[in-house]
Amino acid sequence: MVEQILPLALALPLLGATTIGLGGLWLPILRKQKYLIGGIASMLVFGAFFLFLAAFLSYKEPSYFAFAWDWIALDPLRIPLRYQVDTLSLWMSLIITGIGALIHLYSIGYMAEEEGSWRYFAFLNLFIFAMLTLVLADSLPLLFLGWEGVGACSYFLIGYWFGEEANARAAQKAFIMNRIGDVGLLAGMIWLYAETGTFDIERLKDYMYGGEVAMGVGLLFFLAATGKSAQLPLYTWLPDAMAGPTPVSALIHAATMVTAGVYLMARMDFLYNLTPETLSIVGAIAITTALLGGLVALAQQDIKKVLAYSTVSQLGFMFAAVSAGAYTAAIFHVFTHAFFKALLFLGSGSLIHATGTQDIRKMGGLRKKMPITGWTFWIGTVAIAGIPPLAGFFSKDEISAAVYTRGTTGEATFYVYWLTLVGVAFLTALYMGRLAWVALEGEYRGEGTPHESPPEMTIPLGVLAVGSIAAGWIGLPPLLGESWIREHWLSQSIKELSVPSLSHGTELFLLCISTIVGLVGLGVAWLLYGRKKAAGDTFFSKHLGRFYTLLSQQLQVDMLYERAFVQPYYILADLAKDVIGPWIGRGIPALVAQMLSRLGEILSRLQVGYTPLYLSYMIAGGLLLLLWVLTG
Amino acid sequence: MFVVVLTIVSLSVCGALALIGGALAVTLRDPIYAVLALVKAMLGLAGIYFLLGAEYVGAIQVIVYAGAILVTFLFVVMLVNLSPEDIPPFPRGIALYGNLILAVAWLLLLSTALSAILEIPAPEQVLLHVEPLPYLYGTLPPLGKALFTAYAFPFELLSVTLLIGIVGASLLVQKRPSS
Amino acid sequence: MKVELLYAVLTLSGGLFSLGLLGLLLRRNLLLAFLAIELMLNAANLNFLAFSRYHNEPTGAIFVLFGICLAAVEAVIGLGLVVRLFRAHEDLGFTKLTALRW
């Protein structure tokens, strides 16, 4: 059943991408049919979603689908075009197509006034296809194809409004930062192949790895993940990626593509389970990223920047789960995060659409003017803040429980990680509360009169809001029941690092901490921003001083990178221009040319324009040839 | 016995004709005489072709080579009004001896090459014995059959080449209005 | 009785070729050098026919036919060039035809 559904489900978005892309390119008359284009694109992704849903309902065991021909056939290296459906890849596919379909629908309204929306929808469909290839790939090269495909689509869509140089630069930045990470993926892939002689993920699982290989490849893959999933030190592209249209930010830079790194590490669980040291490194980076994202998000005035740093921070949560060996918790958080972060981004898109600005200081009071957007945004805020029984609470709690459990096994650093995570959870509630109160409550401070968005934008908001409320219920903590996603679904594909289970008392304690931290965070946000009408920023800048200014300047990481990497590169380029170019680049060729020219002058004495002499040369040449044939 | 002697004698005569004709063709100063000497050499060669049993090729040699190509040479000689006074003498000194050495070296190498070829075991049937020739060897029917079956494509290519030759020659010699 | 005459024919062919070669090297006139080339071509043809007969199969004869056709093409182009050159230089001596000198 599944293997019949899969090719069709894969083909639909690709069909949409090619039809819309080529149609828009060759038949300019079609470009004006915006509802037709958006409708086709959305229908195809919805179709793919329902096909995956059918596959999900009839799922029994992992199955494969392979094309009749190989992608690369160079004996002994054979890379088939083979897709694998197991619980993990199917789950990711459901998230991608489900959220993707809603965002397609939303985009119809959001991009209604755009001239080039055919380009937008073609790339969006192509992105869905590439992302599906990434998660369904059975071999690493095919995964890499999808990995690069989503990177390319991300580049195209960030730079969608390429007329402005800043957008084009943001796209290039995202592309280049991702390339740095991709080197890691490629190198890890090649290392694995050199070690095992195969690229098939299923066969890689059975191999006995040495500690060095597992650690080296694991770290290389983590480097790839830091690029794609915006972790330190490669995260700087994600805030800039907000230059793209807001639905793109929702789909690619919040819900799906940036979770590819988490997926990769969950897929490679067998490598990470071998070397807990690798996981400790992952944990340190993840925790630092989460903290940094949360802090910076607190000081941003651009609504999309806040959400971007929030995404960075939440991705840190996911990697923290990975570092605890709790890959299902990471995927679970990918799932819930996809709902509420997509909801928040789409909601912010709706606000931006209505007010024409991204600055939250020019918003305010929008809940009354745009009730659906306002209320759903609030639902997303509460969900991400981790208030039970909304989605974010369950996944975050599972993560902090997993990290705490690793601490109980004797790795004391994980207690530090856990404590930091609790702090970041507080920060999350605080900055999200700040965002919601400043943007949605109080008096309207902008220009014009904002109106509620059209139904094609509000319907996805409603659906995502329902998801943000309910998505967590499939992963209940052991105290409240049974985690379906962990016990019955993902455990079929993922092998977690085995850790002892917690006592009920500890678990209750952790649950309470999570809830209290979320509530306190929202409470502080209300004190600072809700009650005193956006006075919180002055409070912070008064008490934190220069640190707050630094936070609002995004810690000046870009400048740091500029000084540390770009400037030396320029110096190197100047060196090449001034030294290597003239001396080696031009000097040596000039010398060679001069020598050849001298040789030519000598040889030209032989060429006097007297035909009999040429005939003699010819015959002597023939003689030499004959001699060569005879002696050879 | 008579046939053998006759063959040897005719072969010697034709060979001598060809050699003398060739020698005259490269030495005579009067270009018309030189061309006519080459015609004589061609006729001698045609005789040898006949004796080798290649009757059709011999006929073509007479008609095309002696009859057409060399006559064209004669036309050109007369067209450019080439007289014996226009022909420079043979070179002397280093040019002469150097070229002679080259030619002798060629001859030596060629004969080595040929003897090397002849050391390859020959097939059973031997050339130029004076027994009756195999049926119709070298006459039109087997040649035509081969030309239009196994060698049909080269044959067609050759006709294209001839066409190119015609077009090229007429382009080369036409008088352009001087601008 | 059998008479091996392949050697005789090959020697004849070699002699003709050498004569042609000498003519090509020593003649100082374009047209006559061309004549020598024709002689060399015929020597080669004779070789083909001799071996064709030796192996008793017509491929060599066909090759000679093709060779004669190509000789015709070559002659027609070559003579066209000769005429053209004569029109340009009023002379066919190699001492005058030095336009290719650098």
Side-chain angles (χ1 to χ4, degrees):
Chain A
M1 178 67 181
V2 174
E3 51 271 30
Q4 282 109 31
I5 290 174
L6 181 63
L8 190 59
L10 266 172
L12 286 180
L14 185 62
L15 180 76
T18 44
T19 336
I20 296 169
L22 295 180
L25 207 58
W26 290 335
L27 299 169
I29 198 165
L30 281 181
R31 294 179 193 172
K32 298 224 163 55
Q33 309 295 326
K34 285 177 200 133
Y35 283 91
L36 181 71
I37 291 170
I40 290 173
S42 311
M43 294 283 277
L44 288 170
V45 182
F46 268 113
F49 172 65
F50 287 124
L51 286 170
F52 278 118
L53 203 61
F56 170 68
L57 293 174
S58 63
Y59 181 85
K60 285 188 188 66
E61 57 186 1
S63 55
Y64 298 91
F65 160 73
F67 284 92
W69 63 89
D70 288 342
W71 178 22
I72 293 173
L74 291 167
D75 271 338
L77 168 65
R78 271 183 72 250
I79 302 171
L81 275 173
R82 205 163 69 135
Y83 292 89
Q84 176 197 33
V85 181
D86 64 358
T87 51
L88 174 58
S89 57
L90 191 53
W91 196 246
M92 290 297 291
S93 305
L94 280 172
I95 300 174
I96 293 158
T97 48
I99 306 285
L102 289 174
I103 290 171
H104 271 75
L105 182 61
Y106 178 93
S107 299
I108 300 176
Y110 192 81
M111 303 300 281
E113 285 149 31
E114 282 297 320
E115 271 310 309
S117 65
W118 63 278
R119 207 155 46 83
Y120 172 86
F121 279 109
F123 284 131
L124 216 54
N125 264 351
L126 189 64
F127 169 79
I128 298 281
F129 170 73
M131 191 72 203
L132 288 176
T133 304
L134 197 167
V135 297
L136 290 165
D138 181 43
S139 59
L140 287 173
L142 196 57
L143 185 149
F144 188 70
L145 186 76
W147 187 274
E148 293 298 313
V150 293
C153 291
S154 155
Y155 166 75
F156 292 133
L157 287 168
I158 295 170
Y160 175 72
W161 289 302
F162 53 77
E164 276 179 45
E165 201 191 343
N167 297 346
R169 280 192 181 279
Q172 286 167 7
K173 186 173 176 186
F175 202 68
I176 291 166
M177 292 303 248
N178 270 302
R179 286 298 77 68
I180 298 172
D182 293 349
V183 172
L185 181 53
L186 207 55
M189 233 166 82
I190 293 166
W191 193 349
L192 270 186
Y193 182 76
E195 193 69 22
T196 64
T198 182
F199 280 129
D200 282 3
I201 294 170
E202 281 304 310
R203 284 169 64 194
L204 286 171
K205 277 185 183 170
D206 302 331
Y207 192 80
M208 303 296 286
Y209 295 95
E212 276 172 33
V213 179
M215 183 156 183
V217 175
L219 283 177
L220 283 171
F221 281 170
F222 180 57
L223 174 65
T226 58
K228 196 59 97 194
S229 297
Q231 297 295 293
L232 273 171
L234 297 178
Y235 75 97
T236 54
W237 65 271
L238 187 61
D240 282 22
M242 297 301 128
T246 309
V248 169
S249 309
L251 177 61
I252 301 184
H253 307 120
T256 53
M257 186 188 85
V258 289
T259 63
V262 182
Y263 166 80
L264 178 70
M265 295 183 74
R267 184 49 94 197
M268 292 290 142
D269 52 358
F270 51 93
L271 279 179
Y272 292 102
N273 286 339
L274 289 174
T275 51
E277 308 88 61
T278 320
L279 289 179
S280 301
I281 298 170
V282 173
I285 289 177
I287 295 297
T288 320
T289 313
L291 185 62
L292 179 141
L295 282 173
V296 176
L298 196 56
Q300 297 301 309
Q301 303 297 349
D302 183 328
I303 184 167
K304 288 184 74 179
K305 282 272 159 66
V306 175
L307 292 174
Y309 276 103
S310 162
T311 306
V312 172
S313 175
Q314 296 299 310
L315 288 164
F317 264 92
M318 295 171 201
F319 281 104
V322 168
S323 79
Y327 312 106
T328 51
I331 298 294
F332 183 35
H333 196 51
V334 166
F335 176 65
T336 57
H337 178 253
F339 279 104
F340 52 70
K341 190 49 69 65
L343 171 62
L344 289 170
F345 262 115
L346 294 188
S348 77
S350 182
L351 298 179
I352 294 164
H353 204 60
T355 60
T357 175
Q358 301 192 2
D359 194 335
I360 52 172
R361 286 169 297 195
K362 292 184 183 154
M363 294 182 181
L366 289 169
R367 182 171 54 85
K368 295 202 185 74
K369 296 183 195 294
M370 306 164 66
I372 302 175
T373 307
W375 281 116
T376 51
F377 200 90
W378 263 116
I379 291 172
T381 305
V382 177
I384 195 175
I387 310 296
L390 275 69
F393 168 74
F394 294 100
S395 53
K396 273 196 196 174
D397 178 63
E398 199 176 332
I399 289 171
S400 65
V403 174
Y404 187 86
T405 316
R406 267 305 291 282
T408 60
T409 60
E411 302 219 28
T413 44
F414 277 85
Y415 282 128
V416 181
Y417 294 170
W418 173 76
L419 212 58
T420 322
L421 278 187
V422 171
V424 177
F426 166 75
L427 275 175
T428 310
L430 180 58
Y431 67 70
M432 282 315 298
R434 163 181 179 260
L435 185 63
W437 263 299
V438 172
L440 298 175
E441 307 300 329
E443 297 297 317
Y444 183 57
R445 298 180 292 275
E447 293 151 14
T449 47
H451 293 291
E452 184 59 277
S453 300
E456 62 262 29
M457 287 165 74
T458 51
I459 288 169
L461 289 178
V463 176
L464 288 170
V466 172
S468 301
I469 295 170
W473 299 346
I474 61 166
L476 295 177
L479 195 66
L480 300 178
E482 200 183 31
S483 171
W484 172 83
I485 185 166
R486 181 201 190 100
E487 305 297 334
H488 293 289
W489 186 252
L490 288 179
S491 58
Q492 294 177 39
S493 341
I494 298 178
K495 242 176 108 180
E496 298 206 318
L497 203 61
S498 53
V499 281
S501 53
L502 292 169
S503 69
H504 281 311
T506 324
E507 209 177 306
L508 191 63
F509 162 71
L510 290 174
L511 276 179
C512 290
I513 292 267
S514 297
T515 317
I516 291 167
V517 156
L519 285 172
V520 168
L522 281 184
V524 171
W526 177 75
L527 276 177
L528 288 174
Y529 293 94
R531 202 182 48 138
K532 293 210 279 181
K533 303 270 185 278
D537 286 352
T538 42
F539 171 80
F540 279 128
S541 60
K542 202 165 83 187
H543 286 86
L544 292 176
R546 284 185 59 192
F547 183 60
Y548 186 77
T549 320
L550 205 60
L551 282 183
S552 64
Q553 291 164 342
Q554 306 177 22
L555 292 175
Q556 302 203 325
V557 175
D558 278 334
M559 205 187 73
L560 202 70
Y561 283 0
E562 170 91 15
R563 293 251 171 90
F565 299 109
V566 180
Q567 296 296 346
Y569 185 75
Y570 277 137
I571 292 169
L572 208 66
D574 279 342
L575 197 75
K577 188 185 71 163
D578 296 333
V579 178
I580 300 175
W583 286 96
I584 298 170
R586 279 193 288 281
I588 291 178
L591 205 68
V592 172
Q594 212 168 24
M595 278 165 57
L596 284 178
S597 152
R598 285 276 163 76
L599 191 69
E601 266 171 38
I602 294 168
L603 284 178
S604 65
R605 305 266 163 79
L606 298 176
Q607 192 174 0
V608 293
Y610 187 51
T611 319
L613 200 57
Y614 293 163
L615 282 172
S616 303
Y617 294 159
M618 188 181 94
I619 285 163
L623 197 71
L624 287 178
L625 259 180
L626 196 63
L627 204 64
W628 181 58
V629 169
L630 281 178
T631 54
Chain B
M1 193 61 210
F2 173 69
V3 180
V4 173
V5 172
L6 188 63
T7 307
I8 293 171
V9 168
S10 10
L11 213 82
S12 312
V13 170
C14 290
L17 206 63
L19 273 177
I20 294 168
L24 288 176
V26 296
T27 47
L28 284 175
R29 281 197 72 175
D30 191 327
I32 291 189
Y33 286 170
V35 173
L36 286 176
L38 197 62
V39 170
K40 187 161 68 176
M42 295 298 154
L43 289 176
L45 276 175
I48 295 174
Y49 292 175
F50 275 106
L51 285 169
L52 286 173
E55 291 150 24
Y56 180 66
V57 180
I60 291 292
Q61 174 85 355
V62 174
I63 296 168
V64 175
Y65 238 121
I69 299 179
L70 289 179
V71 169
T72 319
F73 265 86
L74 270 183
F75 276 143
V76 173
V77 169
M78 289 188 271
L79 186 69
V80 302
N81 217 356
L82 212 56
S83 58
E85 293 81 54
D86 298 331
I87 306 299
F90 284 127
R92 289 175 191 288
I94 188 165
L96 177 66
Y97 296 116
N99 284 329
L100 277 178
I101 290 167
L102 262 184
V104 171
W106 257 98
L107 194 63
L108 286 177
L109 273 184
L110 271 184
S111 46
T112 338
L114 281 175
S115 57
I117 290 168
L118 287 172
E119 273 170 20
I120 299 166
E124 281 305 305
Q125 67 275 59
V126 178
L127 173 74
L128 291 191
H129 51 80
V130 194
E131 281 159 16
L133 291 166
Y135 173 63
L136 285 180
Y137 167 83
T139 54
L140 205 42
L143 281 184
K145 205 168 180 179
L147 264 185
F148 288 104
T149 53
Y151 298 99
F153 185 67
F155 183 73
E156 295 303 328
L157 267 186
L158 200 65
S159 62
V160 176
T161 316
L162 278 169
L163 183 68
I164 294 170
I166 293 168
V167 175
S170 41
L171 267 178
L172 273 173
V173 297
Q174 73 176 321
K175 272 191 176 151
R176 303 229 178 90
S178 54
S179 51
Chain C
M1 80 185 263
K2 294 177 178 178
V3 185
E4 278 286 356
L5 287 186
L6 173 66
Y7 296 100
V9 175
L10 290 185
T11 314
L12 176 63
S13 143
L16 284 175
F17 188 85
S18 308
L19 280 173
L21 197 68
L22 264 180
L24 183 62
L25 284 172
L26 297 178
R27 288 284 198 176
R28 293 298 189 238
N29 182 286
L30 186 57
L31 197 65
L32 295 178
F34 201 17
L35 215 60
I37 291 175
E38 293 291 329
L39 191 60
M40 287 160 77
L41 199 66
N42 270 282
N45 278 352
L46 183 58
N47 248 3
F48 272 121
L49 265 182
F51 278 106
S52 158
R53 187 71 193 82
Y54 185 61
H55 292 285
N56 200 9
E57 76 143 71
T59 310
I62 285 171
F63 217 106
V64 172
L65 279 181
F66 285 178
I68 291 175
C69 277
L70 284 179
V73 177
E74 172 234 334
V76 92
I77 299 282
L79 291 174
L81 282 171
V82 167
V83 171
R84 193 68 192 269
L85 274 171
F86 182 76
R87 276 199 205 131
H89 296 277
E90 293 291 324
D91 195 280
L92 290 175
F94 283 144
T95 39
K96 293 274 177 62
L97 298 176
T98 52
L100 285 178
R101 180 193 295 250
W102 56 283

